[in-house]
């Protein structure tokens, strides 16, 4: 395995002329990529080298490449089909051009839930008795395989899949029909469910105010009294809405992180 990467960190601090305003800013960026130079893997056969793991990153998976949805009878008749395909099912690319969709029509895709790019930025400042801090974090060059789930007990499915599904009354939909085996992302790994997991998140923000020293504090032996309000996971910009894009384990489709607000008082004696 060949590993390459780079990591950068930048820091800056400053203050106003009278010293009332003091700030610190920092940022980090990391890029890391690996390639399997050689793996003693079972060959897929001549003409199917695109399925090999050698030459790709660790964890790279095979996916059927989705071209669209069978919306009409003409689509079914004019495109190679996976066995059992009908209206509302995926149209897959015939990668080996043999006129049918088989296991050999899966392509090895490089991006995985483990991002190649991770970045972040922080900023904190004080002005007289006020203080402020902020943290941003994100990732890029990552993909998460997310196929809508069906509850095995109730049979309920996710709202997005139900509302967007192809039906006889919604033949223009680009989402597959419900109940299909061909388009079931848990049965056939399809590029349709190979989602962009890049995100930018406002991780936390905090604003505080510290009451200046006074005679009452001195009598009570109080060194400082600070009030603050804070928020966590306030904003997340991502194409993945139903799961946390930061999750790197596709076997656990975790809920998006909760938005949290709190307030408090810090008293020091």
């Amino acid at each position: 395995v060949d590993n390459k990467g780079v990591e950068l960190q930048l820091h800056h601090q400053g203050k106003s002329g009278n010293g009332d305003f003091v700030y610190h800013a920092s940022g980090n960026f990391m890029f890391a990529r690996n390639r399997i130079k050689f793996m003693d893997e079972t060959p897929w056969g001549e003409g199917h080298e695109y399925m090999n793991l050698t030459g790709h990153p660790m964890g790279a998976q095979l996916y059927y490449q989705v071209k669209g949805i069978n919306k009409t009878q003409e689509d079914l008749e004019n495109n190679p089909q996976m066995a059992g395909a009908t209206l509302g099912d995926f149209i897959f690319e015939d990668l080996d051009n043999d006129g049918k969709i088989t296991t050999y029509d899966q392509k090895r895709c490089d991006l995985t839930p483990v991002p190649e790019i991770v970045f972040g930025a922080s900023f904190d400042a004080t002005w007289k008795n006020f203080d402020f801090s902020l943290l941003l974090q994100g990732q890029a060059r990552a993909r998460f395989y997310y196929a809508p789930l069906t509850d095995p007990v109730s049979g309920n499915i996710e709202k997005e899949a139900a509302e967007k599904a192809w039906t006889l009354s919604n033949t223009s939909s680009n989402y597959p029909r419900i109940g299909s085996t061909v388009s079931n992302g848990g049965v056939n790994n399809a590029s349709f469910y190979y989602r962009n997991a890049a995100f930018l998140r406002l991780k936390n923000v905090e604003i505080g105010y510290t009451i200046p020293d006074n005679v009452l504090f001195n009598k009570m032996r109080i060194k400082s009294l600070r009030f603050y309000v804070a928020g966590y996971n306030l904003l997340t910009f991502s194409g993945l809405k139903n799961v946390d894009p930061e999750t790197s384990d596709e076997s656990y489709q975790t809920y998006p992180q909760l938005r949290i607000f709190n307030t408090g008082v810090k008293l020091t004696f």
Side-chain angles (χ1 to χ4, degrees), residues 201-205 230-236 259-261:
R201 174 174 288 150
L202 179 56
K203 187 64 179 178
N204 61 58
V205 174
Y232 302 90
N233 305 314
L234 297 180
L235 293 170
T236 300
R259 186 180 292 117
I260 300 172
F261 299 91

Side-chain angles (χ1 to χ4, degrees), residues 178-192:
I178 296 172
S180 168
T181 299
V182 171
S183 302
N184 187 326
V187 177
N188 299 307
N189 285 355
S191 62
F192 182 85

Side-chain angles (χ1 to χ4, degrees), residues 105-210:
D105 292 304
Q106 297 179 86
K107 179 183 177 182
R108 187 76 64 178
C109 296
D110 287 352
L111 296 182
T112 73
V114 179
E116 290 188 342
I117 294 175
V118 177
F119 56 89
S122 64
F123 178 83
D124 64 83
T126 59
W127 178 69
K128 296 185 178 180
N129 298 101
F130 290 94
D131 61 88
F132 172 81
S133 65
L134 174 150
L135 174 65
L136 292 167
Q137 66 179 78
Q139 67 181 33
R141 298 282 299 169
R143 290 271 177 170
F144 188 91
Y145 188 77
Y146 173 69
L149 301 176
T150 300
D151 189 308
V153 178
S154 66
N156 290 336
I157 61 173
E158 294 186 16
K159 181 180 180 181
E160 180 185 33
E163 292 182 342
K164 296 182 178 180
W166 183 96
T167 65
L168 291 174
S169 59
N170 186 27
T171 56
S172 62
S173 175
N174 292 315
Y175 214 95
R177 67 185 178 90
I178 296 172
S180 168
T181 299
V182 171
S183 302
N184 187 326
V187 177
N188 299 307
N189 285 355
S191 62
F192 182 85
Y193 303 115
Y194 185 54
R195 314 292 182 93
N196 187 350
F199 74 89
L200 173 64
R201 174 174 288 150
L202 179 56
K203 187 64 179 178
N204 61 58
V205 174
E206 183 170 311
I207 300 174
Y209 178 77
T210 301

Side-chain angles (χ1 to χ4, degrees), residues 80-91:
Q81 301 291 339
M82 181 176 286
T86 186
L87 291 175
D89 284 331
F90 286 139
I91 301 173

Side-chain angles (χ1 to χ4, degrees), residues 16-31:
S16 61
N18 58 11
D20 284 346
F21 180 71
V22 180
Y23 66 91
H24 301 81
S26 65
N28 63 81
F29 175 90
M30 184 190 74
F31 171 80

Side-chain angles (χ1 to χ4, degrees), residues 232-244:
Y232 302 90
N233 305 314
L234 297 180
L235 293 170
T236 300
F237 302 96
S238 173
L240 274 175
K241 303 300 183 184
N242 298 327
V243 295
D244 181 12

